[in-house]
Every structure is written in C-alpha cells, then in structure tokens.
C-alpha cells in the first residue's frame, strides 16, 4: 500500500533514452503484479519461445484490453486466468500504478494485487512456457536492478534488468518492477 501512496508519473521504455516513435494512439493493456499473500512471492511467466512477439521473455501475466473488458484491471485478471490459471476470486486488487508506455505501442497499467490461498499454476499451452515466482525482497530492492543496452533497429536501447537465478527479467517488466521498488524505498 505504501507503493501505491507514492505519487509518480508514468514510465516508459524510453525513460533511459531514445525518442518514442510518433504520437500515435497507444493501445490499453493491463498486467497483474500478483504477490502471494502468505510469502510475498511475485508470479511471473516465461513466454513460449514459439510466440511471434516477445518469445521467451519474462513477463507479468496480462495483455491488451479486449472489447469485453471493463478496464485494464479486468484485462489483467482475465489474462492471468487464461495464461496461468489464476482464479480471479483469489485476487485482492490493491490498486494500480501509473501507465507504462511500451516500445510496442501499449499503455500498460500495472495492477498490484495479493493472491490468497493455494495456487497451482496452469500455463496456457502455446503462450506460456513456464510460471515461476520471485521473492518480494528481490523485487522490492532497487539495488537488484541495473541498466544494460543493445542495438535495436539501428539505435542503442538501454533498459533495466533484474536477473533472478536462471531468469533474465528485463525490458518493460523490469522497468515496471523497478518503478515499484523505487516507490517502496522512497
């Protein structure tokens, strides 16, 4: 709740440099930062390596707002149910963080939540390769994040990373989690 009480502006994949392409409309999306209420571990996914977009990347469950979704929170809950089998009845939504603009043209709303009771992940075949958790202490410590970069589409792109064991958490997921860690440490 302390993180939600901190006032910060939106974040962006362009925070560390580079100009966003054009001023086109961003597509709304919601992602679930769901922490186990008993031990604080954050649920993350490893996207299937066969996917066209972001194959093999580490992600928060979630996705674009569909016509049947009331808002980004509804989209995050629906997608978490579809992607990892998380029953929305187990989720206590605490609130949302400011939007994060992705390099792929989404205005992604991080939904902070607690997950109550036992949860056995059921990865969606073809979309999610693996579901795993990361300790709250790792996610919440700004010292666990650092900046790396690479050339992408002819220009240098810098981004946050927060590796955990065999998992390379980077890009929009790491940026959103870094924003959360910064809010917690302020």
């Amino acid at each position: 709740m302390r993180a939600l009480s901190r006032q910060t502006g939106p974040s962006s994949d362009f925070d560390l440099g580079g100009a966003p392409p054009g001023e086109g409309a961003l597509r709304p999306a919601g992602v679930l930062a769901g922490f186990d209420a008993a031990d604080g571990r954050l649920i993350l996914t490893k996207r299937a390596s066969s996917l066209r977009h972001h194959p093999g990347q580490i992600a928060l469950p979630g996705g674009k707002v569909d016509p049947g979704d009331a808002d980004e929170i509804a989209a995050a809950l629906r997608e978490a149910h579809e992607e990892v089998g998380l029953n929305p009845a187990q989720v206590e939504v605490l609130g949302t963080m400011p939007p994060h603009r992705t390099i792929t043209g989404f205005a992604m709303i991080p939904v902070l939540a607690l997950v109550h009771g036992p949860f056995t992940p059921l990865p969606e075949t073809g979309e999610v390769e693996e579901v795993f958790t990361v300790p709250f202490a790792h996610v919440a410590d700004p010292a666990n994040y650092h900046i790396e970069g690479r050339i992408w589409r002819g220009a240098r792109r810098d981004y946050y990373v927060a590796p955990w064991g065999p998992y390379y958490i980077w890009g929009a997921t790491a940026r959103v989690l870094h924003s959360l860690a910064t809010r917690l440490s302020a």
Side-chain angles (χ1 to χ4, degrees):
M1 295 309 294
R2 184 172 78 232
L4 291 172
S5 70
R6 304 278 191 247
Q7 295 299 316
T8 60
S11 61
S12 167
D13 284 350
F14 304 96
D15 286 347
L16 299 175
E23 290 300 319
L26 298 175
R27 296 168 290 177
V31 294
L32 186 70
F35 294 89
D36 186 297
D39 64 12
R41 294 182 72 88
L42 174 67
I43 299 168
L44 291 172
T45 67
K46 181 176 182 183
R47 293 173 51 84
S49 56
S50 61
L51 289 174
R52 184 173 165 216
H53 298 289
H54 314 293
Q57 289 185 6
I58 304 306
L60 293 159
K64 66 181 177 70
V65 174
D66 283 348
D69 295 326
D71 56 18
E72 291 86 349
I73 294 172
L77 293 173
R78 176 185 51 75
E79 288 279 351
H81 185 251
E82 292 172 5
E83 291 178 6
V84 302
L86 180 59
N87 183 343
Q90 289 183 261
V91 179
E92 176 189 355
V93 173
L94 302 174
T96 61
M97 290 177 42
H100 176 80
R101 179 182 183 159
T102 69
I103 199 164
T104 52
F106 287 95
M108 183 174 77
I109 300 292
V111 179
L112 299 183
L114 294 176
V115 177
H116 296 280
F119 165 59
T120 302
L122 299 169
E124 182 178 14
T125 305
E127 188 168 341
V128 176
E129 187 172 305
E130 182 180 355
V131 180
F132 64 99
T133 61
V134 176
F136 180 77
H138 180 74
V139 172
D141 186 352
N144 290 326
Y145 299 82
H146 63 275
I147 296 170
E148 292 184 2
R150 65 174 65 151
I151 302 300
W152 186 74
R153 294 184 179 174
R156 179 165 173 88
R157 300 285 311 143
D158 289 328
Y159 48 86
Y160 284 99
V161 299
W164 171 254
Y167 305 105
Y168 185 72
I169 303 167
W170 70 287
T173 300
R175 179 64 184 96
V176 165
L177 296 177
H178 178 265
S179 180
L180 176 61
T182 302
R183 285 167 160 255
L184 289 169
S185 66

